[in-house]
Amino acid sequence: MLKRIDLSRDYRKHREEYLAAIETVCNETAFSGGKFADAFDKEFAAFCGVPYAAGVNNGTSALHCAMMALGIGAGDEVIVPANTYIATAWGVSYTGAVPIFVDCTSDTWEIDPDKIEERITDKTKAIIGVHLYGQPFEFGKVKEIAKRHGLYVVEDCAQSHGALYEGKMTGSLGEMGCFSFYPGKNLYAFGEGGSVTCCKREYFDAITTIKNQGCQVRYYHDVLGYNYRLEGIQGAVLSVSLKYLPEWTKRRREIGWRYIREMKNPLLTMQAHPENTDPVFHLFVITVEDPDDFITYMERNGMECNRHYPVPCHLQKAYRSLGYGAGDCPNAEYLASHCVTLPLFPEMTDKEAGMVIEACNAYKG
Ligand SMILES: *Cc1c(COP(=O)(O)O)cnc(C)c1O
């Protein structure tokens, strides 16, 4: 069975290097934060083309930290796309602010800039755009709206490591970029990890304090803080992986564009990729009339698929109190009920990619 994503192939290939990195951390017992986490921060900032990156314990914390660094809290509203992983909205809710869900476009499946303005109120403080599936959202238009209304734009880059918008790295465009290094993301830790990238020193300092129990000087706590530090072992592993990220991204793009060129089945619809963007194919999602039938069909042909995401945020039980109903974000709802994610990961062989294409083309519904 070809898995949707198989991390073991990368581990087997670079095992010695990963284990040596972990061993170094153990020898120096720099387990929480510390020099290996700090070294990765510098490397990751350079990769994203920004002066600062603050490593944290996961991508959800990265979003929470970004909201806190902007001073967002109870009484505030933040615009969030309805079709994203739920953690985009958690980051807002943790501060006491309210996520306001906006629909996606019917072709890029990214936040629809034309539907943002009608949801802005005098409580709105920020817009979080998500570069979903590794496809940059229309940053230019979102930024223009934000500027007009005096709002911050924060990027959720949990799926977009290395993706470009008009030649610029995602994570360097907005006020801050929030990354996840969850296993299976384009750049991943051996456990949990995340980072907030930014150009302003004040954000970096705020996040460094927040993630470290609210202190800059040990045992002197200036603000309510959290234990959101990146672990040393994760920093060391990420430093190894970051060297391979360009290679992995190149391979993801190769496979992604090949799928687009060679998949010809009118029963399957693919995401649109605007010309001013260079996506990184974190997830290769298609829509199909009957996802369960399609997934069973692929399984019978030896390929595992899954779904991102079967329920849009505004219809999740956890957000029932916000009062959304079916029909509020029709494009996101359509995507949720028709999406299927095909196998795609850097270590896939050409033959395996060919198998996926062939099976997709032969699907009759
Ligand atoms: C993975 C993900 C997150 C959360 O990251 P974690 O590291 O799992 O906490 C947030 N937003 C999006 C879009 C994601 O895909």
Side-chain angles (χ1 to χ4, degrees):
M1 178 76 95
L2 172 65
K3 292 213 232 162
R4 220 285 297 149
I5 176 171
D6 185 353
L7 299 180
S8 70
R9 293 188 191 183
D10 168 53
Y11 179 64
R12 285 201 300 269
K13 199 167 155 189
H14 299 117
R15 182 173 178 273
E16 316 269 288
E17 209 177 340
Y18 284 129
L19 293 182
I22 292 171
E23 168 112 67
T24 314
V25 179
C26 295
N27 282 333
E28 303 205 17
T29 63
F31 292 125
S32 180
K35 73 187 239 197
F36 298 98
D38 292 346
F40 170 70
D41 280 353
K42 294 214 167 63
E43 293 159 13
F44 192 62
F47 173 81
C48 293
V50 296
Y52 307 107
V56 291
N57 59 342
N58 60 58
T60 310
S61 300
L63 286 152
H64 184 197
C65 284
M67 293 297 104
M68 284 190 287
L70 292 174
I72 287 166
D76 295 334
E77 293 178 350
V78 176
I79 305 259
V80 172
N83 61 313
T84 179
Y85 183 58
I86 193 73
T88 313
W90 289 160
V92 176
S93 297
Y94 290 169
T95 68
V98 177
I100 303 294
F101 296 110
V102 166
D103 204 4
C104 58
T105 73
S106 59
D107 59 351
T108 64
W109 304 336
E110 302 296 330
I111 192 165
D112 187 346
D114 294 334
K115 290 182 185 150
I116 290 177
E117 226 153 5
E118 64 202 47
R119 305 306 312 274
I120 293 174
T121 70
D122 50 12
K123 293 178 180 166
T124 313
K125 290 290 182 309
I127 303 167
I128 306 181
V130 182
H131 305 295
L132 197 69
Y133 309 146
Q135 169 58 50
F137 68 87
E138 233 186 308
F139 181 81
K141 269 198 185 168
V142 171
K143 178 72 196 175
E144 205 180 285
I145 294 163
K147 225 175 181 173
R148 202 153 54 233
H149 296 271
L151 310 176
Y152 300 115
V153 181
V154 171
E155 298 169 78
D156 182 334
C157 302
Q159 305 190 357
S160 74
H161 319 67
L164 303 176
Y165 174 85
E166 299 191 335
K168 291 203 193 90
M169 279 281 185
T170 56
S172 73
L173 306 162
E175 216 61 41
M176 280 172 264
C178 303
F179 288 84
S180 163
F181 306 124
Y182 177 79
K185 306 285 172 153
N186 289 26
L187 177 67
Y188 65 94
F190 283 12
E192 308 279 345
S195 185
V196 184
T197 54
C198 59
C199 294
K200 288 190 186 151
R201 177 82 207 200
E202 63 188 272
Y203 295 148
F204 178 75
D205 287 343
I207 291 168
T208 304
T209 306
I210 291 163
K211 76 174 189 187
N212 191 29
Q213 305 282 26
C215 56
Q216 283 185 349
V217 180
R218 206 171 198 185
Y219 307 129
Y220 293 83
H221 306 275
D222 304 329
V223 294
L224 175 68
Y226 295 80
N227 180 353
Y228 280 175
R229 291 178 296 253
L230 180 67
E231 293 184 353
I233 285 178
Q234 306 308 341
V237 165
L238 285 161
S239 287
V240 172
S241 311
L242 186 59
K243 289 193 305 184
Y244 296 109
L245 181 60
E247 197 179 299
W248 293 339
T249 301
K250 185 165 165 270
R251 183 64 185 150
R252 281 180 180 275
R253 284 179 173 141
E254 234 167 61
I255 299 168
W257 290 117
R258 180 173 170 210
Y259 281 0
I260 291 167
R261 269 196 323 273
E262 297 182 20
M263 278 183 199
K264 301 278 182 218
N265 192 336
L267 297 178
L268 311 182
T269 305
M270 291 184 271
Q271 186 180 24
H273 303 286
E275 281 194 348
N276 59 347
T277 64
D278 194 355
V280 290
F281 299 100
H282 170 59
L283 297 171
F284 199 96
V285 175
I286 52 122
T287 60
V288 60
E289 194 49 43
D290 185 346
D292 291 336
D293 178 69
F294 181 79
I295 290 170
T296 309
Y297 162 83
M298 291 296 276
E299 249 161 39
R300 273 204 314 270
N301 283 280
M303 283 158 270
E304 178 192 57
C305 295
N306 50 16
R307 312 196 59 216
H308 299 86
Y309 298 94
V311 181
C313 295
H314 68 293
L315 299 181
Q316 293 284 357
K317 225 187 254 173
Y319 280 126
R320 202 156 44 188
S321 65
L322 297 182
Y324 290 88
D328 285 340
C329 300
N331 292 333
E333 290 162 31
Y334 180 88
L335 186 63
S337 51
H338 294 84
C339 63
V340 175
T341 308
L342 303 178
L344 196 165
F345 54 96
E347 296 78 19
M348 252 173 104
T349 64
D350 288 340
K351 192 166 160 234
E352 286 167 334
M355 252 170 60
V356 173
I357 294 165
E358 203 177 308
C360 285
N361 285 341
Y363 180 66
K364 304 236 158 41

